């Protein structure tokens, strides 16, 4: 079974609108971390946001927020006020407590922002 | 601050050739790892290291070798290149191997083609 599932291979959003990228995860660990990375067409991996399993508040970083629903094992990324530069691949990843640091990635969602 | 430096950025190999992908970080990170990225597959862990002298296999280790003689360097060796190893390779580093909120820093990637 996949540990990280991103069900949206591709998505379109209108510029200036908000968009939600879905991510569900599967772990039996109590301690884990969830990450979102952005990969623009230039190829580099850019860290966006982090949520710890014990964090009670949803993480926010500028226009990015993470909608963390622990009981449902979901960690959706919300991008507010989309910009053309947000067009990229987005990867959800998880680090489990006993993993020694390894990140497990989902297959990604390709976001296209339309002007 | 250079972060994670990978070389080369591009490489074409003939089947059966060997080569080493270099990775160096200047952040004194204990944890380093190698991933490969294939279309539609996300990033998959090849090998990782939790400190100098300690390495272990990830999800897709076959055909690759690693060593960690210093904290800074974590080279990836392709022993006998095969077309199935055509991929984009990323090196990453982070602080401890705990599930805390320390994001992984990625190199720029190496695009490898095996013909």
């Amino acid at each position: 079974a996949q540990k990280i599932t991103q069900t949206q291979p591709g998505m379109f959003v209108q510029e200036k609108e908000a968009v939600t990228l879905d991510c569900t995860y599967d772990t039996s660990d109590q301690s884990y971390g969830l990450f979102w990375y952005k990969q623009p067409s230039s190829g580099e991996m850019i860290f966006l946001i982090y949520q710890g399993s014990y964090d009670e508040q949803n993480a926010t970083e500028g226009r990015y927020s993470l909608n963390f629903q622990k009981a449902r094992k979901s960690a959706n990324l919300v991008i507010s006020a989309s910009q053309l530069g947000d067009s990229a691949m987005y990867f959800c990843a998880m680090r489990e407590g006993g993993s020694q640091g390894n990140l497990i990635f989902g297959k990604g969602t390709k976001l296209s922002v339309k002007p | 601050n250079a972060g994670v430096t990978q070389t080369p950025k591009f490489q074409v190999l003939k089947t059966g050739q060997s080569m080493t992908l270099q990775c160096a970080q200047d952040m004194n990170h204990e944890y380093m790892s190698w991933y490969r990225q294939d279309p539609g597959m996300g990033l998959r862990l090849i090998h990782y290291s939790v400190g100098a002298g300690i390495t272990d296999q990830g999800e897709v280790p076959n055909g690759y070798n690693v060593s960690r003689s210093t904290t800074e360097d974590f080279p990836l060796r392709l022993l006998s290149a095969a077309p199935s190893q055509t991929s984009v390779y990323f090196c990453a580093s982070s602080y401890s191997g705990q599930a805390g909120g320390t994001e992984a820093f990625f190199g720029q990637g190496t695009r490898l083609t095996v013909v």
Side-chain angles (χ1 to χ4, degrees):
Chain A
Q2 290 184 53
K3 292 224 168 188
I4 297 286
T5 303
Q6 294 181 253
T7 57
Q8 307 149 315
M11 286 192 68
F12 288 91
V13 65
Q14 203 69 37
E15 192 179 8
K16 299 180 185 177
E17 292 185 350
V19 62
T20 298
L21 306 184
D22 294 341
C23 173
T24 57
Y25 60 92
D26 182 26
T27 182
S28 56
D29 283 2
Q30 297 300 308
S31 175
Y32 53 89
L34 297 157
F35 302 80
W36 277 91
Y37 282 85
K38 172 184 179 181
Q39 186 179 44
S41 58
S42 52
E44 70 268 32
M45 296 290 287
I46 302 168
F47 166 73
L48 295 178
I49 196 166
Y50 163 82
Q51 180 85 40
S53 58
Y54 294 118
D55 295 341
E56 295 185 352
Q57 304 266 15
N58 285 343
T60 59
E61 290 286 349
R63 294 187 298 110
Y64 304 108
S65 60
L66 200 153
N67 184 0
F68 181 46
Q69 298 187 40
K70 194 170 183 176
R72 298 180 62 183
K73 293 189 174 179
S74 76
N76 298 338
L77 178 70
V78 181
I79 305 174
S80 63
S82 297
Q83 301 172 356
L84 296 179
D86 293 334
S87 294
M89 283 291 290
Y90 289 82
F91 291 98
C92 180
M94 175 174 64
R95 177 186 289 146
E96 293 175 295
S99 71
Q100 302 191 74
N102 300 335
L103 283 173
I104 304 166
F105 284 85
K107 295 185 178 182
T109 295
K110 184 172 183 178
L111 178 67
S112 299
V113 180
K114 298 189 289 185
Chain B
N1 193 341
V4 180
T5 303
Q6 274 184 248
T7 54
K9 292 194 72 173
F10 301 93
Q11 183 72 49
V12 178
L13 286 179
K14 293 183 178 179
T15 298
Q17 286 185 318
S18 62
M19 79 160 294
T20 299
L21 306 185
Q22 301 292 343
C23 176
Q25 53 92 7
D26 61 359
M27 297 172 282
N28 202 31
H29 286 166
E30 301 152 345
Y31 177 85
M32 296 185 74
S33 54
W34 278 99
Y35 292 86
R36 60 177 289 172
Q37 182 180 18
D38 302 294
M41 299 294 291
L43 279 76
R44 293 181 293 168
L45 183 67
I46 304 172
H47 284 285
Y48 66 97
S49 169
V50 299
I54 306 169
T55 63
D56 208 343
Q57 297 180 351
E59 179 186 356
V60 287
N62 292 341
Y64 307 96
N65 237 349
V66 292
S67 60
R68 184 96 180 267
S69 55
T70 67
T71 300
E72 294 78 19
D73 300 299
F74 190 45
L76 177 73
R77 296 182 188 84
L78 279 70
L79 308 173
S80 177
S84 61
Q85 294 179 303
T86 293
S87 188
V88 179
Y89 292 84
F90 286 98
C91 178
S93 74
S94 63
Y95 285 108
S96 74
Q98 305 303 311
T102 53
E103 75 269 26
F105 295 81
F106 283 82
Q108 292 293 306
T110 297
R111 187 173 294 273
L112 175 69
T113 303
V114 183
V115 298

